[in-house]
Structures are given as C-alpha cells and as structure tokens.
Amino acid sequence: MEPKSYHMSPEEFRRYGREVVDWIADYYERIEEFPVLSRAKPGEIRAGLPEAPPRTREGFDSFLADISDKILPGVTHWQSPSFFAFFPANASGPSILGEMLSAGLGVQGMLWATSPACTELETHVLDWLADMLELPRQFKSSGTGGGVIQESASSAALCALLAGRERATAYASNGAGCDGRLTAYASTQAHSSIEKAVRIAGIGTDNLRKIPVDDAFALRPDELARAIETDRKAGRLPAFVCASVGSTSSNALDPLREIGRICREAGVWLHVDAAMAGTAALCPEFRYIHDGLELADSYCFNPHKWMFTNFDCDCFYVARRKELIDTLSILPEYLRNKATESGAVFDYRDWQVSLGRRFRSLKLWLVLRWYGVEGLQHHVRRHVAAAQEFAGWVRDSEEFELAAPAPLNLVCFRHRGGDELNQQLMDRLNASGALYLTHTRLEDRLTLRLCVGQTYTEKRHVQAAWQRIRETAAAIQGESAAT
Ligand code: PLP
C-alpha cells in the first residue's frame, strides 16, 4: 500500500536531526584522525555511488553510514586544525547551528516583503560588524551606505565593478552596452576574482591594468597614478580600482590612503578587498590595515574565511548605496509591492547579482552572540601570535627563509634549496595527511604558504607543522645526498 505521504514527519525529523548533530559532533572530535588532504583519485568517489537514483524510498537509515564510508574519503578536511592551505574557510558550532536554523526556516529573502526579519537582521548585524571593525561611518546604513551579505568576495568585487562602470558612464553601460574605453586597475598581486569580474562585466582582460608592486608586494601608488593618467590622455575611461588588504599570495597590504587620494582625484571607484585579513581589524592593534578606508567606495571581508562563520558569508559595504542600487535594480511587475514602493525598506536583491537569497545573517548573528567581540579578538590574536612565532622560527633557521613580510597570519617561506626541493617538500607534507599547505610564486620562485586561521588551530598544531616541515626537508636532502 502507498504511504500517505513520502515527507519526513516532524517526529522523524527530530530523531534523524539528533543523529545528524551527533554525527557532526563526533566528526569534530575525530577530525585530527583524518588525512587533511583527501587522497581520493579522480572518479573514485563517483565509482562508489549507485549508478541510478533510488526508485523506491530508501529513508534515512544507511545515509550517515554512507557519508562516513563513501563521502568522507573524498573530503579534504577544511575544518582540521592542521589545515594551513589557501586561506581558511571556517566553521564553528554556533555558525553550523545558525545554518541549520536558516535551512529550517527556508526563507528566500529577495525583498524586504518576502521576510522582513531576513533583511532587517542582516542590515543590523552588518552595522554591528562595521562598528566592531571600526569601519568608516559612510559604510553604515544610518548614513548613505550600508552592508549586505554576498556569497563571496568575488561577487562583491563584481558588484563593485559594475557600480564603478555605471558611475563612470553615467549609468549608460547597462542600457547601451559597455563602453569600450573603460579601464580597471589592480596590483599584479590582486586576487584572480578581479580579473574574472572585469571579464564578466564586459570590460575585458586587456583593459585591466596590472599595477606593479613594491618589495612588500603592495601596489605602488605612483604606478597607479601614472597608469590612470596615461589612460586618460589616451581617451580611455578609468572606472575602477581594487586595492587588496591581505593579498592571497602574500597577505600584502596595499597603501589605501595614497590609493584613495588618487582615486578621489581621478573620480574612479575604489573597492577594497580584505577577504581574509579584514577580520584582523576586530583587534584595535591591527586596525592600521584599514588606514585610509574612508576614501573607498566599497569594501568587503569574508567572515567565512577567518571569522568562524560557515561558507558562504562575505560582508560587502558601499559608501553610497544608491549607486549600487541604481546599477543592479530592475523591477518586474511580479515583484512590485507596497513596501518597496514606500522607499522605506532595503530590498537586498538590488544589492547583488542573483535575485534569491538565503537567511545568512542568522549564522553571523549566532557567531557574534556566542563569541562576543572579546571571544573573536581572543582567537584572532592567538592565530596571529602563532603565525608570528612560526615566522620567527623560519627567520632563525639556516635552511629556510621568509619570502615576504608576514604582517598577520600568513607566512610565506621557502627552503633555500630551490624550487624542486620546495615542490617535493610540499608534495610529501600534503601526502603525509598530517597537514595541508599550498604554494604561490613570489619573484618567480616557488613559495610555500602557511596560513594560521582555521577555527581550532592552536600553537601546538603550528609547532607540529614546523617540526614536520623541517624533518621532511632533512629527509629529502638526505636522500638526494645518498644518490
Ligand atoms: N580576495 C582575496 C584576497 C582572496 O584571497 C580570495 C580567496 O581566497 C578572494 C578574494 C575570493 O574569495 P571568494 O571565494 O569569497 O570569492
């Protein structure tokens, strides 16, 4: 006989929900037992899955066992405290619970009217964060600006670029197509998402000027000013500059104040990308990284990188929301409603690329309430201190050297033995499963990056990493001496 309904009943949800929460708690208790970098070969995970979808109801019973047996081998453990690769993508207990609530409510908050709490909590929490980071007043909703959660720093950069493009062309590009004279600027070290945004916005990679950097890999303002001037004289239309606070390769801090002055003078949109490093500004002693931010038109940082908040959560601020809204707003008949027409509310669909949006501020709210400002500061400081200690060990060692200044929680370093040795070292370390770190190229030399930012990373994990790095390098050298 057919069941009355195939849905999960509240009672079943309660039971299985508890099992899922237990599974997640067990996972965190055991996380250090797993190899940090997945050892799965291409196609291996799919090969373990049934070829066809279930025709009849399977229910929940074997689901968690399958997660453990079939999925975990293909998981790289981003939440392992020995994850030092890329920049982190953090999670934490409160954030996971916030995500659950968001999924449970299942709200789609494209308009204020489609769930007022979704919009208002987001505005409120982003204003809190602006205060916590001591961002300039212009970014708060009580002024001309305001904040919005985007799924990523890439999306934030794209929105900023589109707004810069529109402002530069008096809002004509959206209608008549992109002006082929537009140019954009970012340092050679800026994140690839800027070049991607330039492509998506129809400005074209050839019109992105990659500005040279100084010895600390920070954008050179004199070169920026020169590039803008050259373009202007050639009849081009400079529209957008992206400055990085904590570049991906080396955590370089672009000089915002000087860049900001140049942008103001030239009337060019300045976006500041502080995707990971922005979190450091929770601590007063690190707020120097934002010096000059009041000259920016937009700013973003990702709590989903270093502020213990599950992906996805990028906080994007604009100084004049009208410019963003005029760029992205489009109002079909079926979305018209009284609240929108009253002008008294934010409709966040006008602040982002997609229409639909999740109730992401819940997880951020719970993270802020759980940790408090002091708790967040405590953990950020510990991460920076552990990274600084690691940088000190590198500095004092004879075999290794620092490849860039390490102002915060990213240390770029290399063995003095050359690219091949560094490549082997990284491959072996990652294959060991004990830790995971990634590389970049600085001054055309292979450089290892160790980023201390995973929620649960403590000094002992960094110490263990350093010991393994040294031992592995010595073993490789020993082997090559023997052959
Ligand atoms: N900007 C910087 C400086 C980054 O390091 C990254 C990613 O690591 C990004 C932007 C892109 O981040 P997202 O994944 O949020 O798009």
Side-chain angles (χ1 to χ4, degrees):
M1 198 178 66
E2 287 236 327
K4 263 204 236 123
S5 162
Y6 289 89
H7 294 310
M8 187 179 270
S9 69
E11 201 36 59
E12 287 167 323
F13 180 81
R14 211 182 306 280
R15 172 153 38 108
Y16 298 129
R18 287 192 177 120
E19 284 183 26
V20 169
V21 170
D22 280 345
W23 189 96
I24 296 172
D26 290 346
Y27 171 68
Y28 276 86
E29 276 178 351
R30 294 177 47 213
I31 199 159
E32 294 188 47
E33 295 168 17
F34 299 105
V36 187
L37 175 65
S38 166
R39 291 172 173 155
K41 305 270 179 304
E44 194 178 317
I45 300 304
R46 279 196 77 173
L49 302 174
E51 256 179 44
R55 174 116 195 87
T56 54
R57 190 179 207 256
E58 278 187 359
F60 192 80
D61 291 338
S62 56
F63 186 69
L64 285 179
D66 282 352
I67 296 285
S68 299
D69 301 342
K70 299 184 172 164
I71 299 300
L72 272 191
V75 167
T76 287
H77 299 279
W78 283 72
Q79 305 314 320
S80 163
S82 295
F83 182 100
F84 301 108
F86 308 107
F87 280 158
N90 274 336
S92 65
S95 172
I96 296 166
L97 296 177
E99 277 282 25
M100 274 176 68
L101 283 164
S102 167
L105 292 174
V107 156
Q108 205 278 54
M110 60 187 170
L111 302 170
W112 178 89
T114 59
S115 265
C118 180
T119 295
E120 294 195 13
L121 181 64
E122 187 162 328
T123 308
H124 200 70
V125 166
L126 267 81
D127 276 347
W128 273 3
L129 270 169
D131 287 341
M132 287 164 64
L133 268 60
E134 270 195 10
L135 297 184
R137 296 174 58 80
Q138 79 229 35
F139 291 122
K140 290 193 63 178
S141 67
S142 50
T144 54
V148 59
I149 300 178
Q150 303 266 339
E151 79 270 23
S152 70
S154 307
S155 307
L158 175 61
C159 291
L161 175 63
L162 292 171
R165 184 193 74 186
E166 287 310 297
R167 194 169 75 178
T169 57
Y171 297 87
S173 300
N174 265 352
C178 200
D179 187 315
R181 295 175 305 142
L182 288 166
T183 50
Y185 308 79
S187 92
T188 54
Q189 302 294 306
H191 190 262
S192 55
S193 52
I194 306 306
E195 184 163 342
K196 195 168 184 179
V198 162
R199 290 184 191 180
I200 296 169
I203 289 175
T205 296
D206 293 352
N207 298 317
L208 173 64
R209 311 285 183 244
K210 294 192 175 168
I211 307 298
V213 293
D214 63 16
D215 291 347
F217 304 100
L219 182 146
R220 282 183 48 188
D222 58 330
E223 294 279 2
L224 174 68
R226 199 181 353 262
I228 291 177
E229 181 60 15
T230 306
D231 280 331
R232 276 224 190 289
K233 282 192 176 142
R236 310 304 300 268
L237 203 49
F240 178 82
V241 171
C242 176
S244 308
V245 169
S247 64
T248 315
S249 262
S250 67
N251 236 1
L253 304 168
D254 289 347
L256 300 186
R257 188 164 296 287
E258 285 166 270
I259 296 171
R261 281 198 197 111
I262 294 166
C263 291
R264 280 279 165 100
E265 223 165 85
V268 178
W269 187 285
L270 172 59
H271 174 64
V272 175
D273 174 9
M276 184 199 58
T279 292
L282 288 168
C283 307
E285 66 272 30
F286 302 132
R287 286 194 190 136
Y288 71 90
I289 64 175
H290 285 157
D291 179 54
L293 188 57
E294 68 276 14
L295 300 173
D297 295 286
S298 56
Y299 167 83
C300 79
F301 87 107
N302 292 4
H304 76 227
K305 281 189 163 34
W306 193 16
M307 217 187 78
F308 319 136
T309 306
N310 284 62
F311 193 88
D312 50 350
C313 187
D314 166 88
C315 294
F316 176 49
Y317 292 90
V318 285
R320 287 162 303 280
R321 56 183 177 266
K322 184 175 183 319
E323 293 174 338
L324 182 67
I325 294 168
D326 286 354
T327 299
L328 297 178
S329 184
I330 177 161
L331 184 61
E333 184 56 35
Y334 44 81
L335 294 182
R336 284 188 191 281
N337 65 88
K338 284 207 177 86
T340 298
E341 273 153 29
S342 76
V345 300
F346 288 171
D347 289 322
Y348 273 133
R349 71 188 179 102
D350 294 336
W351 299 51
Q352 62 177 27
V353 171
S354 56
L355 170 64
R357 57 200 329 276
R358 305 193 301 119
F359 201 162
R360 283 177 293 211
S361 56
L362 279 175
K363 62 187 169 193
L364 203 44
W365 193 32
L366 193 44
V367 166
L368 298 184
R369 291 173 64 145
W370 178 267
Y371 286 94
V373 176
E374 285 177 8
L376 294 171
Q377 289 172 334
H378 169 86
H379 289 290
V380 164
R381 285 189 177 119
R382 282 169 64 129
H383 282 163
V384 175
Q388 292 305 312
E389 204 160 345
F390 183 90
W393 298 328
V394 173
R395 215 176 279 120
D396 294 344
S397 99
E398 285 180 4
E399 296 86 27
F400 290 87
E401 63 184 6
L402 287 178
L408 297 167
N409 61 335
L410 175 72
V411 184
C412 293
F413 67 105
R414 57 173 88 92
H415 194 281
R416 294 181 194 272
D419 279 8
E420 208 175 304
L421 194 152
N422 280 296
Q423 183 70 53
Q424 268 191 56
L425 174 59
M426 182 173 75
D427 293 346
R428 264 200 218 184
L429 288 168
N430 292 341
S432 78
L435 73 159
Y436 180 27
L437 46 77
T438 49
H439 77 284
T440 186
R441 286 195 88 78
L442 292 176
E443 290 167 328
D444 206 25
R445 290 162 72 192
L446 192 87
T447 302
L448 307 182
R449 297 166 69 267
L450 181 128
C451 187
V452 184
Q454 199 286 322
T455 310
Y456 304 107
T457 303
E458 292 172 14
K459 187 172 150 181
R460 68 188 166 91
H461 301 105
V462 180
Q463 269 169 335
W466 177 234
Q467 186 171 341
R468 188 172 280 268
I469 290 167
R470 280 188 10 251
E471 286 171 2
T472 308
I476 295 171
Q477 283 189 305
E479 286 162 26
S480 63
T483 52

mmCIF file of all heavy atoms in Angstrom, residues 86-87 151-155 190-194 244-249 273-276 300 302 304-305 311 314 449, ligand 1:
data_model
loop_
_atom_site.group_PDB
_atom_site.id
_atom_site.type_symbol
_atom_site.label_atom_id
_atom_site.label_comp_id
_atom_site.label_asym_id
_atom_site.label_seq_id
_atom_site.Cartn_x
_atom_site.Cartn_y
_atom_site.Cartn_z
ATOM 1 N N PHE A 86 45.698 27.594 1.282
ATOM 2 C CA PHE A 86 44.941 28.728 0.720
ATOM 3 C C PHE A 86 44.736 29.796 1.806
ATOM 4 O O PHE A 86 45.637 30.151 2.523
ATOM 5 C CB PHE A 86 43.589 28.246 0.155
ATOM 6 C CG PHE A 86 43.725 27.100 -0.811
ATOM 7 C CD1 PHE A 86 43.352 25.805 -0.462
ATOM 8 C CD2 PHE A 86 44.238 27.303 -2.082
ATOM 9 C CE1 PHE A 86 43.496 24.751 -1.355
ATOM 10 C CE2 PHE A 86 44.382 26.251 -2.978
ATOM 11 C CZ PHE A 86 44.006 24.976 -2.614
ATOM 12 N N PHE A 87 43.470 30.288 1.877
ATOM 13 C CA PHE A 87 43.011 30.960 3.077
ATOM 14 C C PHE A 87 41.939 30.035 3.654
ATOM 15 O O PHE A 87 41.308 29.284 2.909
ATOM 16 C CB PHE A 87 42.415 32.331 2.752
ATOM 17 C CG PHE A 87 43.438 33.420 2.528
ATOM 18 C CD1 PHE A 87 43.114 34.547 1.803
ATOM 19 C CD2 PHE A 87 44.711 33.329 3.064
ATOM 20 C CE1 PHE A 87 44.046 35.561 1.605
ATOM 21 C CE2 PHE A 87 45.650 34.332 2.872
ATOM 22 C CZ PHE A 87 45.319 35.446 2.143
ATOM 23 N N GLU A 151 27.577 36.004 -1.404
ATOM 24 C CA GLU A 151 28.075 34.649 -1.182
ATOM 25 C C GLU A 151 29.598 34.606 -1.213
ATOM 26 O O GLU A 151 30.201 33.687 -0.678
ATOM 27 C CB GLU A 151 27.466 33.641 -2.160
ATOM 28 C CG GLU A 151 28.064 33.627 -3.551
ATOM 29 C CD GLU A 151 27.363 34.592 -4.495
ATOM 30 O OE1 GLU A 151 26.746 35.555 -3.987
ATOM 31 O OE2 GLU A 151 27.452 34.400 -5.711
ATOM 32 N N SER A 152 30.240 35.591 -1.842
ATOM 33 C CA SER A 152 31.695 35.519 -1.940
ATOM 34 C C SER A 152 32.286 36.897 -2.190
ATOM 35 O O SER A 152 31.593 37.819 -2.631
ATOM 36 C CB SER A 152 32.106 34.580 -3.075
ATOM 37 O OG SER A 152 31.788 35.179 -4.310
ATOM 38 N N ALA A 153 33.602 36.984 -1.942
ATOM 39 C CA ALA A 153 34.316 38.225 -2.248
ATOM 40 C C ALA A 153 34.319 38.462 -3.755
ATOM 41 O O ALA A 153 34.381 39.607 -4.209
ATOM 42 C CB ALA A 153 35.743 38.142 -1.722
ATOM 43 N N SER A 154 34.264 37.392 -4.525
ATOM 44 C CA SER A 154 34.229 37.539 -5.986
ATOM 45 C C SER A 154 32.960 38.272 -6.397
ATOM 46 O O SER A 154 32.992 39.165 -7.253
ATOM 47 C CB SER A 154 34.238 36.167 -6.663
ATOM 48 O OG SER A 154 35.295 35.386 -6.198
ATOM 49 N N SER A 155 31.846 37.896 -5.811
ATOM 50 C CA SER A 155 30.583 38.555 -6.159
ATOM 51 C C SER A 155 30.611 40.005 -5.712
ATOM 52 O O SER A 155 30.102 40.891 -6.410
ATOM 53 C CB SER A 155 29.402 37.871 -5.475
ATOM 54 O OG SER A 155 29.424 36.521 -5.739
ATOM 55 N N ALA A 190 46.686 41.178 -6.960
ATOM 56 C CA ALA A 190 45.255 41.141 -6.615
ATOM 57 C C ALA A 190 44.685 39.759 -6.923
ATOM 58 O O ALA A 190 45.195 39.033 -7.787
ATOM 59 C CB ALA A 190 44.496 42.208 -7.385
ATOM 60 N N HIS A 191 43.621 39.417 -6.248
ATOM 61 C CA HIS A 191 43.026 38.096 -6.437
ATOM 62 C C HIS A 191 42.447 37.953 -7.854
ATOM 63 O O HIS A 191 41.967 38.926 -8.441
ATOM 64 C CB HIS A 191 41.915 37.881 -5.398
ATOM 65 C CG HIS A 191 41.419 36.477 -5.368
ATOM 66 N ND1 HIS A 191 40.280 36.078 -6.024
ATOM 67 C CD2 HIS A 191 41.934 35.372 -4.790
ATOM 68 C CE1 HIS A 191 40.098 34.782 -5.821
ATOM 69 N NE2 HIS A 191 41.080 34.334 -5.071
ATOM 70 N N SER A 192 42.482 36.725 -8.350
ATOM 71 C CA SER A 192 42.019 36.468 -9.724
ATOM 72 C C SER A 192 40.544 36.830 -9.914
ATOM 73 O O SER A 192 40.085 37.013 -11.048
ATOM 74 C CB SER A 192 42.240 35.004 -10.074
ATOM 75 O OG SER A 192 41.604 34.188 -9.104
ATOM 76 N N SER A 193 39.802 36.939 -8.799
ATOM 77 C CA SER A 193 38.378 37.283 -8.921
ATOM 78 C C SER A 193 38.205 38.670 -9.546
ATOM 79 O O SER A 193 37.161 38.962 -10.133
ATOM 80 C CB SER A 193 37.685 37.235 -7.562
ATOM 81 O OG SER A 193 38.388 38.002 -6.616
ATOM 82 N N ILE A 194 39.227 39.512 -9.438
ATOM 83 C CA ILE A 194 39.108 40.854 -10.025
ATOM 84 C C ILE A 194 39.164 40.746 -11.549
ATOM 85 O O ILE A 194 38.343 41.339 -12.254
ATOM 86 C CB ILE A 194 40.236 41.782 -9.499
ATOM 87 C CG1 ILE A 194 40.259 41.791 -7.965
ATOM 88 C CG2 ILE A 194 40.084 43.199 -10.065
ATOM 89 C CD1 ILE A 194 38.944 42.145 -7.294
ATOM 90 N N SER A 244 44.015 45.679 -2.347
ATOM 91 C CA SER A 244 43.916 44.480 -1.504
ATOM 92 C C SER A 244 44.417 44.779 -0.094
ATOM 93 O O SER A 244 45.470 45.386 0.080
ATOM 94 C CB SER A 244 44.782 43.347 -2.070
ATOM 95 O OG SER A 244 44.480 43.129 -3.425
ATOM 96 N N VAL A 245 43.647 44.320 0.867
ATOM 97 C CA VAL A 245 44.142 44.310 2.250
ATOM 98 C C VAL A 245 44.352 42.836 2.580
ATOM 99 O O VAL A 245 43.411 42.115 2.890
ATOM 100 C CB VAL A 245 43.131 44.973 3.213
ATOM 101 C CG1 VAL A 245 43.532 44.727 4.660
ATOM 102 C CG2 VAL A 245 43.050 46.464 2.949
ATOM 103 N N GLY A 246 45.576 42.390 2.423
ATOM 104 C CA GLY A 246 45.870 40.971 2.626
ATOM 105 C C GLY A 246 45.717 40.203 1.338
ATOM 106 O O GLY A 246 44.748 39.449 1.173
ATOM 107 N N SER A 247 46.659 40.380 0.415
ATOM 108 C CA SER A 247 46.546 39.679 -0.875
ATOM 109 C C SER A 247 46.696 38.174 -0.645
ATOM 110 O O SER A 247 47.273 37.741 0.354
ATOM 111 C CB SER A 247 47.621 40.182 -1.844
ATOM 112 O OG SER A 247 48.888 39.846 -1.331
ATOM 113 N N THR A 248 46.201 37.407 -1.598
ATOM 114 C CA THR A 248 46.149 35.957 -1.409
ATOM 115 C C THR A 248 47.555 35.344 -1.397
ATOM 116 O O THR A 248 47.855 34.483 -0.582
ATOM 117 C CB THR A 248 45.310 35.321 -2.527
ATOM 118 O OG1 THR A 248 44.139 36.112 -2.684
ATOM 119 C CG2 THR A 248 44.937 33.900 -2.206
ATOM 120 N N SER A 249 48.388 35.805 -2.311
ATOM 121 C CA SER A 249 49.726 35.219 -2.392
ATOM 122 C C SER A 249 50.530 35.475 -1.135
ATOM 123 O O SER A 249 51.195 34.576 -0.623
ATOM 124 C CB SER A 249 50.486 35.813 -3.577
ATOM 125 O OG SER A 249 50.399 34.949 -4.671
ATOM 126 N N ASP A 273 39.414 45.050 -1.151
ATOM 127 C CA ASP A 273 39.184 43.624 -0.953
ATOM 128 C C ASP A 273 40.022 43.159 0.239
ATOM 129 O O ASP A 273 41.235 43.009 0.131
ATOM 130 C CB ASP A 273 39.578 42.874 -2.230
ATOM 131 C CG ASP A 273 39.516 41.361 -2.059
ATOM 132 O OD1 ASP A 273 39.013 40.888 -1.017
ATOM 133 O OD2 ASP A 273 39.965 40.647 -2.978
ATOM 134 N N ALA A 274 39.339 42.943 1.360
ATOM 135 C CA ALA A 274 40.030 42.475 2.576
ATOM 136 C C ALA A 274 39.510 41.097 2.925
ATOM 137 O O ALA A 274 39.244 40.792 4.093
ATOM 138 C CB ALA A 274 39.790 43.455 3.713
ATOM 139 N N ALA A 275 39.363 40.249 1.911
ATOM 140 C CA ALA A 275 38.619 38.993 2.055
ATOM 141 C C ALA A 275 38.977 38.241 3.337
ATOM 142 O O ALA A 275 38.104 37.930 4.131
ATOM 143 C CB ALA A 275 38.835 38.125 0.822
ATOM 144 N N MET A 276 40.253 37.942 3.521
ATOM 145 C CA MET A 276 40.585 37.253 4.760
ATOM 146 C C MET A 276 41.053 38.212 5.846
ATOM 147 O O MET A 276 40.588 38.175 6.977
ATOM 148 C CB MET A 276 41.675 36.201 4.564
ATOM 149 C CG MET A 276 41.889 35.465 5.883
ATOM 150 S SD MET A 276 43.419 34.567 6.061
ATOM 151 C CE MET A 276 44.622 35.822 5.838
ATOM 152 N N CYS A 300 34.997 44.915 1.229
ATOM 153 C CA CYS A 300 34.430 43.624 1.648
ATOM 154 C C CYS A 300 35.429 42.818 2.453
ATOM 155 O O CYS A 300 36.637 42.961 2.307
ATOM 156 C CB CYS A 300 33.946 42.817 0.454
ATOM 157 S SG CYS A 300 35.251 41.978 -0.451
ATOM 158 N N ASN A 302 35.433 38.605 4.413
ATOM 159 C CA ASN A 302 34.677 37.348 4.473
ATOM 160 C C ASN A 302 34.710 36.729 5.864
ATOM 161 O O ASN A 302 35.710 36.085 6.217
ATOM 162 C CB ASN A 302 35.297 36.299 3.535
ATOM 163 C CG ASN A 302 35.152 36.625 2.080
ATOM 164 O OD1 ASN A 302 34.644 37.680 1.709
ATOM 165 N ND2 ASN A 302 35.587 35.719 1.237
ATOM 166 N N HIS A 304 33.433 34.175 6.347
ATOM 167 C CA HIS A 304 33.572 32.741 6.038
ATOM 168 C C HIS A 304 35.029 32.334 5.831
ATOM 169 O O HIS A 304 35.315 31.158 5.638
ATOM 170 C CB HIS A 304 32.687 32.310 4.862
ATOM 171 C CG HIS A 304 33.139 32.700 3.485
ATOM 172 N ND1 HIS A 304 32.296 33.263 2.565
ATOM 173 C CD2 HIS A 304 34.309 32.596 2.840
ATOM 174 C CE1 HIS A 304 32.930 33.487 1.438
ATOM 175 N NE2 HIS A 304 34.163 33.097 1.580
ATOM 176 N N LYS A 305 35.928 33.293 5.862
ATOM 177 C CA LYS A 305 37.325 32.885 5.821
ATOM 178 C C LYS A 305 37.871 32.752 7.253
ATOM 179 O O LYS A 305 38.271 31.680 7.669
ATOM 180 C CB LYS A 305 38.146 33.896 5.019
ATOM 181 C CG LYS A 305 37.990 33.702 3.499
ATOM 182 C CD LYS A 305 38.954 34.555 2.734
ATOM 183 C CE LYS A 305 39.165 34.146 1.290
ATOM 184 N NZ LYS A 305 38.043 33.590 0.562
ATOM 185 N N PHE A 311 30.980 29.037 5.244
ATOM 186 C CA PHE A 311 30.749 29.496 3.890
ATOM 187 C C PHE A 311 29.248 29.351 3.611
ATOM 188 O O PHE A 311 28.656 28.353 3.996
ATOM 189 C CB PHE A 311 31.542 28.595 2.922
ATOM 190 C CG PHE A 311 31.618 29.145 1.552
ATOM 191 C CD1 PHE A 311 32.621 30.020 1.197
ATOM 192 C CD2 PHE A 311 30.652 28.805 0.617
ATOM 193 C CE1 PHE A 311 32.680 30.546 -0.077
ATOM 194 C CE2 PHE A 311 30.702 29.331 -0.655
ATOM 195 C CZ PHE A 311 31.716 30.205 -1.005
ATOM 196 N N ASP A 314 30.129 36.699 2.814
ATOM 197 C CA ASP A 314 31.012 37.837 2.539
ATOM 198 C C ASP A 314 30.243 39.103 2.899
ATOM 199 O O ASP A 314 29.092 39.269 2.477
ATOM 200 C CB ASP A 314 31.378 37.867 1.039
ATOM 201 C CG ASP A 314 31.993 39.205 0.627
ATOM 202 O OD1 ASP A 314 33.213 39.360 0.726
ATOM 203 O OD2 ASP A 314 31.224 40.105 0.211
ATOM 204 N N ARG A 449 53.099 28.552 1.503
ATOM 205 C CA ARG A 449 52.265 29.460 2.301
ATOM 206 C C ARG A 449 51.693 28.683 3.476
ATOM 207 O O ARG A 449 51.114 27.608 3.275
ATOM 208 C CB ARG A 449 51.081 29.973 1.464
ATOM 209 C CG ARG A 449 51.411 30.784 0.261
ATOM 210 C CD ARG A 449 50.192 30.941 -0.644
ATOM 211 N NE ARG A 449 49.131 31.763 -0.113
ATOM 212 C CZ ARG A 449 48.100 31.331 0.560
ATOM 213 N NH1 ARG A 449 47.956 30.044 0.808
ATOM 214 N NH2 ARG A 449 47.168 32.168 0.991
HETATM 215 N N1 PLP B 1 40.066 38.162 -2.492
HETATM 216 C C1 PLP B 1 41.082 37.604 -1.828
HETATM 217 C C2 PLP B 1 42.205 38.476 -1.290
HETATM 218 C C3 PLP B 1 41.101 36.212 -1.632
HETATM 219 O O1 PLP B 1 42.133 35.648 -1.000
HETATM 220 C C4 PLP B 1 40.043 35.435 -2.127
HETATM 221 C C5 PLP B 1 40.031 33.971 -1.939
HETATM 222 O O2 PLP B 1 40.864 33.390 -1.296
HETATM 223 C C6 PLP B 1 39.009 36.070 -2.811
HETATM 224 C C7 PLP B 1 39.055 37.431 -2.979
HETATM 225 C C8 PLP B 1 37.863 35.307 -3.377
HETATM 226 O O3 PLP B 1 37.110 34.843 -2.325
HETATM 227 P P1 PLP B 1 35.666 34.186 -2.542
HETATM 228 O O4 PLP B 1 35.879 32.727 -2.516
HETATM 229 O O5 PLP B 1 34.876 34.687 -1.376
HETATM 230 O O6 PLP B 1 35.133 34.669 -3.850
#
